[in-house]
Amino acid sequence: MALLEVKDIVVDFATRAGNARVLDHVSLKVQAGQTLGVVGESGCGKSMTALSIMGLVPDPPGKVTSGSITLEGEELIGIEEPRMRKIRGKDISMIFQEPMTSLNPVFTVGEQIAESLRLHEDGSNSEAWEKAVAMIRSVGIPEPEARARNYPHQLSGGMRQRIMIAMALACGPKLLIADEPTTALDVTVQAQIFDLLKDLQSDNNTSIILITHDMGVISQMSDYVAVMYAGRIIETGTTEDILASPKHPYTRGLIACVPHLEENPSDERLPLMEIPGVVPPLTKLGQGCAFAPRCNQKLAECDHTKPEMTQCGDNHMVACLALSGEAAS
Amino acid sequence: MSDLLKVDGLKVHFGGGKKLLGGKKPTVHAVDGVSFSIPKGKTLGIVGESGSGKTTAALAVLRLVHITEGSVELGADKISTLEGEELRNARKRFQIIFQDPYSSLDPRRRAGDIVREPLDLMNVGEENGRDDAVAELFAQVGLRPEQRALFPHQFSGGQRQRISLARALATKPELIVCDEPVSALDVAIQAQILNLMIKLQDDLNLTYLFISHDLGVVQYICDEVAVMYLGRIVEQADRKTIFSQPKHPYTKALLSAVPSAKHSKRDASARVVLKGDPPSPINMPKGCSFAARCPLAESRCFDTRPELKNVGTNHIAACHLVK
């Protein structure tokens, strides 16, 4: 059984411009100890997927209309809030993009880590503090006793993100959701954070959902990949499948439009492939494929038929009408 | 080919003044002796971690921060010593595009007015021809002329960066400083702006000073690359050399830290992962500023600071261990 199973989740937001379907029948599976990468542009529903798993969809204006999310068989949609508070922070925890704004500036970082330990685990305050210091040590911060007494502004960006990781992992979660954990950091610090996450994952068999827009990050961190566009998952597969043989025109575009660092660059500067246009507003999605207006392989039927996910390899699924003929053959 | 921009021994220090009750404020050595030049029509990229002084160096070139020491020459003119009206007039020749297109455009003004403002301020062209000039600029950066009447919030991030470009191009500058122009944009939009910047460079023979921490983008757009660490250039070479034969251990670490979409996570073992953070620019270390994080550091690295030296054709690096 998969650790986490998200099935046909639908999230609607009531906006002044009408109903926006921010998640449209999203289904995911995460096995224990595995990393799932979720990629897509901003506004594609990556972070909303994470929030719906955490039970944090802002309501109102948002609402989980239908679908089910199970963690080890326990249904999380419609769960009583006191029970969800026991799960959140203990079984599922989350690291946010901005380490600057997601720490409380008026408490020491040790205090903030100890807080979740006091809430979720038995034991005295001093035991919680000792464990917080041990967590700070385990994320590779020197002089953990002294750093635990520091306030967030006294630490660098990389250290703050380590503190966030220490806090997220303090109660030994089964699932860690990392929402663009390194976007605000330098590449050198990013490499440190990834190594740390991988070490902690192999020590504790934690599953990770990694949200990012960087295919390079995906290739380094994840086992499986889900590509999202306008609230739907449009392609899933193993990291090797997605990077080596992407099927959906959007996935191909996402990989090709980023200048990837080469060890032996060519003499000429080759033009980058572009994906024209922008993500459509979710209130104005029509009947057809949401990517059709930007797609270079568009067929006539793409305008009025929504493509369904179809198998195109062992673990590889894609939702595209232009490919469904190919995939079936 | 003649150099359009020549920067020699540039230093920008902050602080160092007197405290209210005696004593001295600490001095921040943001840029500490940087020299480079860019030939006309070419792009120099400056890369480095945050705090390495790359943005401060660029702002000093534009005379937007106080230059402590050193000279900046644009063509035949020494712009580091210009003052008052002369400096204001010279600003026609160098413009900037900022990182964040959300905060660098006035939310209360229409896009057309934003692009027209430099024309009015600098008295470029005939007054009644300026509206046409703005329409032309809009077409040049891929916006529709009727979009002149819209406000910035009505544009997407990529379109806003196009407005920034149009505004920078308004005075027909020779040099454009681009301070992380695509890092605030969505991945799919970055390519649109980068391709536009290259097209404009080819059409108008522009010279770019391109600041970025994204090495993939730098590799794509730059002809020459300088790597900065703690206020100094530690390595500089043409695009092909620096990415295929980096010499300085910092450059190597920086390149290997970039996650690549071509290698899977299994063969990440060859990477050099740096420990810790850069030292503070207030108490500059006596020796090589990178020594404390360098995997190869020897005792001499902590005692004497390495100078930039030739390590190949058009390739300089500051490291004791590089031959």
Side-chain angles (χ1 to χ4, degrees):
Chain A
M1 189 182 63
L3 175 83
L4 176 85
E5 240 186 298
V6 177
K7 254 198 207 138
D8 283 327
I9 199 93
V10 177
V11 174
D12 286 312
F13 267 64
T15 69
R16 261 189 270 171
N19 185 49
R21 183 148 286 190
V22 294
L23 292 184
D24 189 6
H25 296 277
V26 167
S27 301
L28 295 170
K29 259 187 202 168
V30 186
Q31 308 287 346
Q34 274 184 347
T35 302
L36 171 76
V38 180
V39 280
E41 284 171 86
S42 341
C44 283
K46 307 184 301 275
S47 297
M48 199 46 71
T49 307
L51 290 182
S52 59
I53 296 169
M54 294 287 286
L56 290 175
V57 173
D59 180 11
K63 191 168 171 295
V64 181
T65 312
S66 66
S68 111
I69 296 174
T70 53
L71 183 77
E72 293 187 306
E74 184 178 0
E75 177 64 53
L76 299 184
I77 297 292
I79 193 173
E80 294 291 321
E81 190 53 30
R83 172 71 191 134
M84 190 67 212
R85 291 182 64 161
K86 287 255 178 326
I87 295 173
R88 201 188 291 137
K90 173 139 180 70
D91 295 328
I92 313 176
S93 58
M94 187 156 172
I95 310 172
F96 295 91
Q97 177 173 354
E98 280 281 336
M100 325 287 166
T101 51
S102 38
L103 288 169
N104 190 331
V106 299
F107 290 99
T108 62
V109 293
E111 188 67 38
Q112 295 182 56
I113 299 173
E115 183 188 2
S116 73
L117 288 162
R118 280 202 306 270
L119 284 172
H120 291 293
E121 281 174 14
D122 304 328
S124 66
N125 283 354
S126 60
E127 276 169 11
W129 178 264
E130 269 162 37
K131 182 132 191 246
V133 172
M135 283 313 297
I136 297 176
R137 183 178 293 117
S138 74
V139 294
I141 293 179
E143 302 175 70
E145 288 86 4
R147 290 291 88 80
R149 290 178 204 286
N150 280 161
Y151 290 90
H153 75 268
Q154 293 170 299
L155 304 174
S156 68
M159 290 243 245
R160 277 183 250 193
Q161 197 58 292
R162 280 161 196 269
I163 294 289
M164 287 296 296
I165 293 174
M167 196 185 296
L169 295 176
C171 298
K174 296 172 184 128
L175 175 69
L176 176 69
I177 302 176
D179 188 357
E180 311 231 5
T182 55
T183 315
L185 305 175
D186 279 316
V187 278
T188 50
V189 183
Q190 168 172 292
Q192 297 170 3
I193 298 285
F194 285 157
D195 282 1
L196 170 67
L197 278 176
K198 274 190 265 187
D199 286 349
L200 295 170
Q201 176 172 37
S202 60
D203 291 351
N204 308 323
N205 203 31
T206 313
S207 305
I208 299 180
I209 296 181
L210 179 71
I211 297 175
T212 179
H213 57 256
D214 186 339
M215 283 291 182
V217 170
I218 288 290
S219 84
Q220 236 173 55
M221 288 294 293
S222 63
D223 303 292
Y224 285 92
V225 182
V227 185
M228 291 193 77
Y229 188 77
R232 287 171 77 96
I233 290 182
I234 52 137
E235 185 164 1
T236 60
T238 61
T239 306
E240 287 77 25
D241 281 343
I242 298 283
L243 290 176
S245 56
K247 299 281 187 219
H248 198 285
Y250 181 62
T251 316
R252 287 192 214 165
L254 268 189
I255 295 174
C257 74
V258 181
H260 293 290
L261 193 62
E262 308 268 351
E263 263 167 48
N264 270 311
S266 57
D267 289 322
E268 280 296 294
R269 299 190 296 197
L270 304 167
L272 272 180
M273 195 191 127
E274 292 179 21
I275 306 178
V278 290
V279 182
L282 295 167
T283 45
K284 296 210 175 70
L285 292 183
Q287 288 295 305
C289 171
F291 187 61
R294 302 173 76 187
C295 184
N296 54 10
Q297 299 176 20
K298 192 181 126 185
L299 308 173
E301 61 202 283
C302 294
D303 280 332
H304 34 83
T305 320
K306 252 189 199 143
E308 293 299 321
M309 289 290 269
T310 45
Q311 204 84 26
C312 65
D314 278 348
N315 274 313
H316 198 163
M317 292 181 77
V318 65
C320 179
L321 293 172
L323 295 172
S324 51
E326 262 174 58
S329 63
Chain B
M1 209 178 308
S2 63
D3 289 338
L4 177 77
L5 179 73
K6 252 186 266 170
V7 174
D8 194 31
L10 181 70
K11 286 189 184 178
V12 181
H13 295 172
F14 296 111
K18 285 204 182 96
K19 274 187 187 162
L20 190 61
L21 299 173
K24 250 183 113 189
K25 283 185 196 158
T27 306
V28 179
H29 305 256
V31 178
D32 206 26
V34 163
S35 307
F36 57 82
S37 57
I38 318 177
K40 188 155 181 56
K42 296 287 178 189
T43 306
L44 171 74
I46 301 185
V47 296
E49 291 172 273
S50 34
S52 60
K54 51 192 194 307
T55 297
T56 310
L59 292 179
V61 166
L62 292 169
R63 292 292 308 273
L64 292 175
V65 292
H66 178 73
I67 296 176
T68 310
E69 217 182 294
S71 77
V72 178
E73 287 172 42
L74 188 70
D77 300 319
K78 191 162 181 178
I79 51 179
S80 49
T81 50
L82 293 181
E83 289 301 334
E85 192 61 16
E86 277 183 334
L87 174 62
R88 206 182 78 84
N89 275 321
R91 287 195 187 280
K92 261 183 245 177
R93 302 173 56 197
F94 45 93
Q95 293 288 327
I96 182 166
I97 312 168
F98 293 99
Q99 172 172 7
D100 185 359
Y102 294 86
S103 58
S104 56
L105 298 176
D106 187 339
R108 291 186 195 83
R109 308 195 63 183
R110 294 178 195 276
D113 295 339
I114 292 174
V115 176
R116 191 191 155 114
E117 189 172 18
L119 297 175
D120 289 337
L121 289 174
M122 289 295 179
N123 245 327
V124 179
E126 289 296 313
E127 210 175 329
N128 46 24
R130 285 185 195 150
D131 279 337
D132 295 338
V134 171
E136 208 172 289
L137 285 163
F138 265 61
Q140 221 166 25
V141 298
L143 294 168
R144 293 192 307 278
E146 62 268 24
Q147 288 175 312
R148 278 178 295 174
L150 300 179
F151 288 97
H153 74 265
Q154 292 167 295
F155 292 92
S156 67
Q159 285 175 320
R160 279 184 229 205
Q161 209 56 310
R162 287 175 197 265
I163 299 174
S164 305
L165 260 168
R167 176 176 61 182
L169 291 172
T171 58
K172 304 210 183 331
E174 295 152 72
L175 171 76
I176 297 187
V177 171
C178 317
D179 187 7
E180 309 246 13
V182 295
S183 52
L185 303 178
D186 240 315
V187 271
I189 311 300
Q190 288 192 2
Q192 298 173 7
I193 299 295
L194 289 173
N195 282 341
L196 173 67
M197 287 180 65
I198 287 195
K199 182 179 164 295
L200 290 170
Q201 180 169 43
D202 292 344
D203 291 352
L204 306 170
N205 199 22
L206 294 171
T207 307
Y208 290 139
L209 175 60
F210 194 94
I211 314 294
S212 183
H213 66 265
D214 186 331
L215 292 156
V217 168
V218 165
Q219 182 177 66
Y220 173 67
I221 204 162
C222 297
D223 300 292
E224 187 151 337
V225 180
V227 181
M228 273 187 84
Y229 190 78
L230 212 67
R232 291 163 177 270
I233 291 178
V234 295
E235 183 164 10
Q236 185 176 349
D238 61 80
R239 159 176 172 275
K240 210 169 152 62
T241 313
I242 202 141
F243 289 107
S244 56
Q245 301 151 27
K247 299 278 190 196
H248 198 285
Y250 179 62
T251 314
K252 287 183 189 167
L254 205 58
L255 290 176
S256 78
V258 178
S260 156
K262 296 240 165 90
H263 309 286
S264 78
K265 69 174 197 171
R266 319 272 179 252
D267 54 58
S269 50
R271 287 186 304 130
V272 198
V273 174
L274 292 180
K275 300 241 181 310
D277 296 313
S280 137
I282 295 174
N283 302 310
M284 296 280 270
K286 185 168 105 199
C288 172
S289 49
F290 183 58
R293 297 170 83 194
C294 183
L296 308 169
E298 299 173 353
S299 60
R300 60 175 166 166
C301 299
F302 292 95
D303 296 332
T304 41
R305 176 182 288 158
E307 295 299 325
L308 278 168
K309 59 185 177 194
N310 280 318
V311 293
T313 35
N314 264 333
H315 191 173
I316 50 174
C319 179
H320 290 306
L321 299 164
V322 175
K323 295 286 173 298

